């Protein structure tokens, strides 16, 4: 009979091919879902009949459900891929209709896809920029207005320190010299015109963290890691200015100074210049590193900031402590005095900066400002009634002394801001960043320029910091000071 013949032939076939049943079983899982789609009337139990499996039916049903879900996910991805391909083809047709084909031949499909992808990314970027501009009240720090761009050019490089340079300053009265404070326990005075080292102060036993010049006399104030601040006198004679070098002639000085081993100095280095080792006055009331110091207006008193969470006010003539300015919860990072009033601003790691008022001898008021969310690295006065504060929260804020409730301008950056400085005459803010860049802004928060950085500055791989003193903006790196004169189109230099 046909049934018996079919069963006998099936058994014979199974005997001749013992692996065929195992192969059919391995493919049964992949066939199941497609059979279900074509024959929705069948149940899973009916399809499993006649299939030899040692798995319990509930487990097999669970596996079938899981593989069905996987197949549906792949189907969804496939459908999305088809839709994306149709959109790309539509964009290609639009680009072809607009005449955006490659010159010199027919536009290929790959080139059109590239253009379409580029156009899509540009559109997405424009939407993001528009959204940020409409929802943020913070001044953009990445766009400069036409007509306010600055031209920066490397002017001079000062080589002589044997370790990192933390601060620099320029005298306000003749002779005009540049002073640098370094971690090599010394402070150097330089001729700005010639780049020659004129004098070396070696009275500190620790890193020299800051340097400031007396407003009228030839005296310098330095703060050090040896927990002291020193006042010392200097007498220098400026050398005659040298003619500018011939830039057309080949010069090997750049290569030599770049490849010089660390610690080497030129023939006119600090070892062959006059050295001052004794201080005129020493302030030593702090119990920690003195990170900064500055002269009060008139030059009869100085203020120091320390890691012992206090700032001290001293008399210059007697070196006596007048006031201990306490209140910060963490280490101080900087201090600055107003150029014309008896005001002091101190910044700290406690995310605040404080304004101390000494205009009334009988009352010493203090105001606390909490405008940042991270360490306030510095806060400085401007010639006008403004305070500029910089922080590790990647923002710089400009405040009005008459109304300190909220900043009048906020600059958002892409990196933490180190010790900032403001040009005295042109009201330009110089922002040194942890990413080894120095950017220039005006007081309204508009970006003016970014100081150029040559390969020689980056090649040595050392940490750089930036400062701005008087009308010159400096990018400082380990053992080198590179000063660039910044000529702004919108102002007179």
């Amino acid at each position: 009979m046909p049934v018996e013949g079919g069963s006998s032939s099936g058994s014979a076939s199974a005997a001749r091919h013992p692996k065929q049943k195992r192969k059919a079983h391995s493919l049964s899982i992949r066939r199941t879902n497609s059979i279900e789609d074509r024959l929705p009337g069948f149940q899973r139990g009916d399809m499993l009949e006649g299939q030899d499996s040692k798995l319990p039916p509930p487990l097999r049903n669970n596996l079938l459900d899981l593989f069905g879900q996987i197949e549906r996910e792949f189907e969804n991805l496939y459908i999305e891929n088809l839709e994306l391909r149709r959109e790309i083809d539509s964009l290609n047709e639009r680009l072809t209709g607009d005449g955006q084909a490659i010159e010199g031949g027919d536009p290929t499909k790959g080139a059109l896809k590239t253009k379409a992808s580029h156009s899509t990314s540009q559109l997405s970027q424009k939407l993001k920029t528009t959204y940020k501009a409409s929802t943020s009240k913070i001044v953009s720090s990445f766009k400069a207005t036409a007509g306010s761009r600055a031209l920066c050019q490397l002017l001079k490089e000062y080589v002589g320190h044997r370790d990192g340079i933390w601060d620099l300053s320029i005298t306000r009265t003749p002779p005009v010299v540049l002073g640098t404070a370094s971690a090599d326990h010394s402070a150097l005075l330089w001729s700005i015109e010639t780049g020659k080292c004129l004098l070396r102060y070696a009275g500190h036993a620790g890193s020299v963290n800051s340097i400031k010049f007396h407003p009228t006399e030839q005296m310098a104030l330095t703060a050090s890691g040896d927990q002291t601040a020193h006042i010392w006198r200097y007498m220098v004679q400026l050398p005659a200015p040298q003619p500018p070098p011939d830039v057309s002639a080949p010069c090997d000085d750049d290569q030599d100074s770049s490849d010089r081993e660390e610690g080497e100095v030129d023939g006119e280095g600090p070892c062959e210049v006059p050295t001052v080792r004794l201080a005129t006055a020493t302030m030593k009331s702090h119990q920690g590193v003195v990170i900064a110091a500055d002269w009060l207006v008139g030059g009869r008193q100085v203020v120091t900031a320390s890691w012992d969470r206090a700032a001290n006010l001293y008399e210059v003539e007697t070196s006596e402590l007048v006031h201990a300015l306490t209140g910060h919860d963490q280490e101080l990072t900087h201090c600055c005095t107003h150029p014309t009033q008896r005001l002091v601003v101190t910044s700290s790691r406690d995310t605040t900066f404080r304004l101390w008022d000494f205009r009334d001898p009988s009352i010493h008021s203090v105001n606390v400002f909490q405008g940042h969310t991270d360490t306030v690295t510095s806060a400085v006065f401007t010639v006008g009634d403004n305070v500029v504060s910089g922080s590790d929260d990647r923002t710089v804020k400009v405040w009005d002394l008459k109304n300190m409730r909220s900043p009048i301008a906020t600059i958002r950056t892409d990196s933490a801001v180190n010790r900032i400085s403001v040009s005295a005459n042109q009201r330009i803010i110089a922002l040194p960043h942890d990413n080894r860049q120095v950017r220039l802004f005006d007081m309204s928060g508009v970006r003016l320029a970014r100081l150029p950085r040559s390969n020689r500055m980056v090649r040595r791989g050392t940490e750089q910091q930036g400062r701005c003193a008087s009308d010159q903006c400096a990018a400082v790196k380990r053992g080198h000071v590179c000063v660039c004169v910044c000529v702004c189109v919108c102002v007179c230099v």
Side-chain angles (χ1 to χ4, degrees):
M1 296 177 62
V3 176
E4 294 177 357
S7 61
S8 62
S9 63
S11 60
S13 176
R16 287 193 302 268
H17 304 284
K19 295 183 180 180
Q20 183 175 357
K21 182 182 294 186
R22 187 176 300 172
K23 183 177 180 181
H25 171 66
S26 65
L27 297 176
S28 62
I29 295 178
R30 284 187 289 179
R31 293 197 193 103
T32 302
N33 288 331
S34 60
I35 294 174
E36 285 181 350
D37 295 337
R38 288 178 293 178
L39 301 174
F42 282 101
Q43 300 296 326
R44 282 190 173 88
D46 298 335
M47 290 187 302
L48 294 176
E49 291 181 358
Q51 295 183 3
D52 186 12
S53 175
K54 296 182 181 180
L55 295 176
L59 181 59
R60 293 198 65 189
N61 291 335
N62 189 18
L63 288 175
L64 292 174
D65 290 337
L66 292 176
F67 279 105
Q69 294 176 11
I70 294 174
E71 184 178 3
R72 284 190 292 271
E73 290 293 333
F74 276 101
E75 288 179 354
N76 293 333
L77 292 175
Y78 180 73
I79 294 173
E80 291 180 2
N81 189 19
L82 292 179
E83 293 178 354
L84 289 176
R85 289 179 179 275
R86 284 195 293 268
E87 291 180 3
I88 292 175
D89 293 337
S90 176
L91 289 174
N92 289 339
E93 293 176 359
R94 290 174 56 187
L95 291 174
T96 306
D98 294 339
Q100 298 182 10
I102 301 176
E103 297 181 359
D106 295 334
T108 61
K109 189 173 183 180
L112 289 176
K113 287 183 179 180
T114 304
K115 286 181 173 290
S117 176
H118 182 65
S119 301
T120 305
S121 62
Q122 284 184 340
L123 179 59
S124 175
Q125 185 65 28
K126 288 181 180 179
L127 291 175
K128 291 180 181 179
T129 304
T130 304
Y131 174 77
K132 289 181 180 179
S134 61
T135 57
S136 176
K137 296 181 180 180
I138 299 177
V139 179
S140 175
S141 64
F142 301 101
K143 292 185 179 180
T145 58
S148 65
R149 296 181 181 273
L151 300 177
C152 300
Q153 182 180 1
L154 180 64
L155 178 65
K156 188 73 65 175
E157 187 172 4
Y158 303 87
V159 183
H161 280 294
R162 300 175 183 271
D163 209 333
I165 298 174
W166 304 129
D167 194 18
L168 65 84
S169 181
I170 292 181
T171 58
R172 302 294 182 180
T173 57
V176 180
V177 296
L178 169 69
T180 56
S182 172
D184 63 4
H185 300 190
S186 71
L188 299 182
L189 303 186
W190 308 80
S191 168
I192 298 178
E193 298 294 334
T194 64
K196 180 180 179 181
C197 183
L198 305 176
L199 184 140
R200 177 174 180 257
Y201 179 71
H204 283 291
S207 170
V208 183
N209 300 320
S210 75
I211 180 171
K212 290 292 184 292
F213 291 102
H214 192 277
T216 58
E217 301 181 26
Q218 294 188 22
M219 292 192 299
L221 170 65
T222 51
S224 174
D226 60 9
Q227 304 183 3
T228 66
H230 290 182
I231 297 176
W232 44 279
R233 292 186 175 273
Y234 63 90
M235 293 184 63
V236 295
Q237 184 177 1
L238 297 179
Q242 299 177 355
D246 186 6
V247 296
S248 61
C251 181
D252 297 333
D253 293 342
D254 292 344
Q255 182 68 22
D256 294 339
S257 62
S258 174
D259 297 336
R260 185 185 292 111
E261 293 294 333
E262 187 173 330
E264 295 183 5
V265 295
D266 295 331
E268 298 178 350
C271 297
E272 298 186 6
V273 299
T275 301
V276 177
R277 300 184 184 274
L278 297 179
T280 304
T282 301
M283 281 65 70
K284 49 184 179 180
S285 300
H286 284 292
Q287 303 300 317
V289 171
V290 182
I291 195 64
D294 202 356
W295 303 85
L296 263 72
V297 59
R300 296 182 179 180
Q301 292 179 328
V302 297
V303 62
T304 58
S306 172
W307 284 1
D308 61 7
R309 306 182 183 182
N312 291 342
L313 185 66
Y314 297 91
E315 287 286 347
V316 173
E317 186 176 355
T318 61
S319 302
E320 294 182 356
L321 176 64
V322 179
H323 294 289
L325 312 180
T326 59
H328 282 290
D329 295 332
Q330 296 187 34
E331 296 90 342
L332 271 65
T333 57
H334 190 247
C335 68
C336 181
T337 61
H338 195 279
T340 59
Q341 303 183 55
R342 291 178 56 82
L343 298 174
V344 177
V345 61
T346 57
S347 56
S348 170
R349 292 177 59 88
D350 61 8
T351 72
T352 69
F353 65 95
R354 295 179 177 236
L355 180 63
W356 310 81
D357 191 348
F358 297 98
R359 289 175 291 187
D360 189 346
S362 60
I363 302 176
H364 306 298
S365 62
V366 57
N367 295 310
V368 183
F369 302 98
Q370 299 177 345
H372 293 280
T373 60
D374 206 339
T375 298
V376 181
T377 54
S378 62
V380 299
F381 290 102
T382 66
V383 176
D385 293 331
N386 296 117
V387 175
V388 183
S389 60
S391 171
D392 281 344
D393 62 6
R394 303 183 181 184
T395 63
V396 175
K397 299 185 178 183
V398 182
W399 309 78
D400 188 353
L401 283 175
K402 299 177 181 179
N403 184 11
M404 296 283 288
R405 293 184 178 179
S406 60
I408 59 177
T410 301
I411 304 171
R412 174 182 290 175
T413 67
D414 58 353
S415 178
V417 180
N418 294 321
R419 187 176 297 179
I420 63 178
S421 187
V422 180
S423 173
N425 297 335
Q426 301 178 18
R427 295 171 61 84
I428 298 176
I429 308 172
L431 307 183
H433 296 281
D434 279 348
N435 60 7
R436 302 182 299 173
Q437 292 184 355
V438 180
R439 296 187 176 98
L440 306 182
F441 293 81
D442 64 12
M443 296 299 294
S444 62
V446 178
R447 176 176 167 179
L448 302 177
R450 183 181 66 184
L451 266 65
R453 185 177 63 190
S454 66
N455 292 333
R456 291 194 297 122
M457 296 182 188
V458 184
R459 187 184 307 163
R460 301 185 66 167
T462 55
E463 182 178 4
Q464 297 187 16
Q465 296 185 7
R467 305 290 185 268
C468 180
S470 183
D471 298 329
Q472 295 176 330
C473 304
V476 183
K477 67 176 181 177
R478 180 169 185 152
H480 292 67
V481 183
C482 305
V483 178
C484 301
V485 172
C486 306
V487 182
C488 298
V489 177
C490 60
V491 295
C492 297
V493 179

